Amino acid sequence: MNTKIFTISVEDTASPAISEAAELLRNGGLVAFPTETVYGLGGNATDTEAAQKIYAAKGRPSDNPLIIHIASPEEAEQYAYTNETYYRLAKAFMPGPLTVILPKKDSIPQSVTGGLDTVAIRCPSHPLAQALIRAAGVAIAAPSANRSGSPSPSCGAHVIHDLNGRIDAILSGGECEIGLESTIIQLCDNKATLLRPGAVTADALRCVCEEVAISPAVTEGLQENERPLSPGMKYRHYAPRLPLVLLDGDEDCVLSFLLHAQNAEKCVILCYREETEYLRNERLIDIGGKQELNEQAHRLFAALRAADGMDADIIYAHLPPKDGMGLALYNRLIRAAAHTVLQV
Ligand code: AMP
Ligand code: MG
């Protein structure tokens, strides 16, 4: 299939590329587009065939549901049974990097929700995503625009690498500001549960909902036979080809470990900016300042993709802290590492 690639700047919401992409979506086609979190692979959310095409293009198991993207929080009424907590969250965080799981209405086919009776709703703030959803005039089902199993795409080049030739069009609109996928919160049976951490942190959510439980799967592997709340939890997402090992220990111990490792092994090191003056490894990737967790999030997936393309035997990275934005980094890295943590 010939994929149309439109290179477009973030402000260019009036571009003819948007109307062309919207037309493709209305006709059942697939279009990848930038959001403030990562790129999404969009299709008409009310169209079963479009959903099937999304799963095929990604190589994604069809029991892993898609997130529905809308242009304003009220549009959720057409697709889900909302409640008061949803509107409080919407007031605080939408448009923005938050996905809310609610009981679904019949307008959304089960092929989109992986057979579940709930639906994931998100209202992105990215100007091009907003413009595309409005121009399409339908909700857009969109998982991350990567091939299943590789890191989510945080710039247009990642999408082109993974999906060129497999979908109708790509709106290539630069780097995603956040770089990690949205926070997912489930609101069912009057309980709020964080299923995936992201830029809307658990503390921020607790300012709006008094109680937010954190699903154990955010930090731990699933237990054998455990049924995940979010089907995506059971897959080894974001998996690099090379084994990834996370280093836990105080700053000095991790640095001496890395100083030794760079001479002893063919390794890629994802390090903090402050460490670049000490490490001399030829495969060194600066993921940002030690305290700059937003910067680290912004760079993480590009770093994992770059690391995986290098001629090496192993990748080392720091184990992130589990609070604030650290929890989102921790969640992505611990899964990419298949829970391999080395105490140093
Ligand atoms: P992605 O689209 O790649 O960001 O992944 C979407 C994530 O949202 C996956 O982990 C899904 O399992 C999760 N998700 C989507 N819809 C639901 C739902 N109805 N209930 C629970 N998790 C969901
Ligand atoms: Mg994904």
Side-chain angles (χ1 to χ4, degrees):
M1 168 188 281
N2 177 34
T3 302
K4 282 196 172 169
I5 299 175
F6 301 103
T7 302
I8 178 169
S9 69
V10 181
E11 317 76 56
D12 204 1
T13 52
S15 161
I18 299 277
S19 357
E20 207 175 312
E23 177 82 32
L24 285 168
L25 287 169
R26 273 195 301 274
N27 293 333
L30 302 190
V31 177
F33 61 97
T35 80
E36 69 278 17
T37 57
V38 298
Y39 275 73
L41 170 56
N44 180 346
T46 60
D47 178 350
T48 293
E49 276 173 36
Q52 284 162 350
K53 285 201 244 170
I54 291 177
Y55 289 114
K58 272 182 73 80
R60 175 173 177 136
S62 61
D63 68 344
N64 193 356
L66 310 175
I67 294 175
I68 309 304
H69 293 66
I70 54 179
S72 69
E74 298 72 35
E75 286 169 28
E77 295 299 338
Q78 298 167 46
Y79 310 107
Y81 293 97
T82 62
N83 53 37
E84 194 237 336
T85 314
Y86 168 77
Y87 279 105
R88 269 192 284 142
L89 287 167
K91 189 157 181 253
F93 304 114
M94 290 183 193
L98 178 68
T99 297
V100 182
I101 313 268
L102 292 163
K104 85 170 194 67
K105 289 188 174 167
D106 289 342
S107 53
I108 298 294
Q110 289 220 330
S111 52
V112 168
T113 62
L116 297 177
D117 296 329
T118 52
V119 62
I121 301 278
R122 168 158 136 72
C123 175
S125 63
H126 193 291
L128 296 178
Q130 277 278 335
L132 181 66
I133 301 166
R134 287 182 197 277
V138 287
I140 298 180
S144 50
N146 53 293
R147 292 296 294 270
S148 204
S150 61
S152 291
S154 52
C155 67
H158 297 163
V159 183
I160 294 168
H161 177 272
D162 280 18
L163 296 177
N164 193 13
R166 304 181 66 86
I167 61 177
D168 297 283
I170 297 172
L171 289 179
S172 183
E175 290 186 11
C176 301
E177 191 181 335
I178 295 168
L180 296 182
E181 307 87 341
S182 59
T183 301
I184 302 182
I185 187 169
Q186 177 164 324
L187 295 185
C188 291
D189 311 325
N190 290 322
K191 274 187 11 210
T193 309
L194 178 73
L195 301 187
R196 179 171 76 185
V200 175
T201 62
D203 289 342
L205 290 168
R206 287 189 178 119
C207 294
V208 178
C209 316
E210 303 83 71
E211 263 185 70
V212 179
I214 298 187
S215 166
V218 165
T219 50
E220 312 302 328
L222 283 179
Q223 303 306 309
E224 212 175 314
N225 298 328
E226 183 182 347
R227 205 177 136 264
L229 282 177
S230 174
M233 289 170 171
K234 69 177 181 238
Y235 298 108
R236 186 181 163 229
H237 258 195
Y238 329 114
R241 175 185 56 91
L242 297 176
L244 168 64
V245 174
L246 303 179
L247 303 173
D248 187 20
D250 49 71
E251 224 168 289
D252 294 349
C253 298
V254 173
L255 187 57
S256 20
F257 176 90
L258 292 174
L259 285 166
H260 174 75
Q262 68 181 3
N263 297 324
E265 318 174 70
K266 226 168 151 184
C267 57
V268 183
I269 299 177
L270 305 192
C271 70
Y272 299 137
R273 170 139 341 110
E274 295 82 348
E275 293 167 326
T276 54
E277 59 177 302
Y278 306 108
L279 295 167
R280 286 284 164 267
N281 189 17
E282 53 186 282
R283 301 172 211 86
L284 198 59
I285 300 179
D286 168 3
I287 65 150
K290 180 168 197 274
Q291 306 299 337
E292 306 300 323
L293 296 173
N294 291 338
E295 181 184 30
Q296 291 177 32
H298 178 78
R299 291 170 164 228
L300 179 69
F301 287 145
L304 284 177
R305 280 177 183 256
D308 216 21
M310 290 178 177
D311 173 28
D313 299 323
I314 191 163
I315 307 171
Y316 290 115
H318 290 272
L319 183 73
K322 285 193 204 166
D323 54 349
M325 189 64 178
L327 187 62
L329 282 159
Y330 183 97
N331 168 263
R332 305 315 189 270
L333 276 167
I334 200 82
R335 297 170 75 197
H339 294 268
T340 315
V341 177
L342 187 65
Q343 305 291 331
V344 294

